[in-house]
Amino acid sequence: MDSEPLYIRVLHKLLLSYGGTLTFQECWKMFVGKTSREVEAYLKEQGLTAPDHWNKDSTSSQTHCWRRKSSPSTAFSR
C-alpha cells in the first residue's frame, strides 16, 4: 500500500484544522514528497499556527488510518 495518499489525506485535514484553505488537490501538489520542515515553512508563510506536537498528531493519525486500511498478510503463513 502506498503511504503517500494516506499522508496527504491526514496532512490536509490537519492543515484545515489549523486554518488552512487548501483543497486536497492543492495539498497533494504542494506536499507530495515533502518533509515536515517544508510543511512548517508553509504554515509560517501562511501565518498559520499549529501546536508544537502537530507532527506527532499527524503520525498518530496516519498510523491509525494505516491500521484500518491494511490487514495482515497471509502470504507466508503455513
Side-chain angles (χ1 to χ4, degrees), residues 57-74:
D57 291 347
S58 174
T59 302
S60 176
S61 293
Q62 290 171 49
T63 301
H64 176 74
C65 291
W66 184 266
R67 286 181 181 151
R68 284 188 3 219
K69 292 193 176 292
S70 63
S71 58
S73 172
T74 58

Side-chain angles (χ1 to χ4, degrees), residues 1-72:
M1 175 183 270
D2 185 6
S3 63
E4 198 75 31
L6 179 64
Y7 168 74
I8 297 297
R9 188 175 312 119
V10 169
L11 177 61
H12 180 243
K13 287 182 181 182
L14 284 174
L15 291 175
L16 292 177
S17 74
Y18 303 148
T21 59
L22 291 172
T23 65
F24 176 80
Q25 290 79 13
E26 291 169 327
C27 190
W28 180 269
K29 288 178 185 176
M30 289 182 73
F31 296 112
V32 166
K34 304 296 184 188
T35 66
S36 60
R37 287 188 185 123
E38 291 166 299
V39 173
E40 289 171 353
Y42 167 80
L43 291 169
K44 285 182 183 179
E45 289 170 8
Q46 299 299 311
L48 302 174
T49 304
D52 291 338
H53 53 79
W54 80 268
N55 203 7
K56 183 178 177 183
D57 291 347
S58 174
T59 302
S60 176
S61 293
Q62 290 171 49
T63 301
H64 176 74
C65 291
W66 184 266
R67 286 181 181 151
R68 284 188 3 219
K69 292 193 176 292
S70 63
S71 58

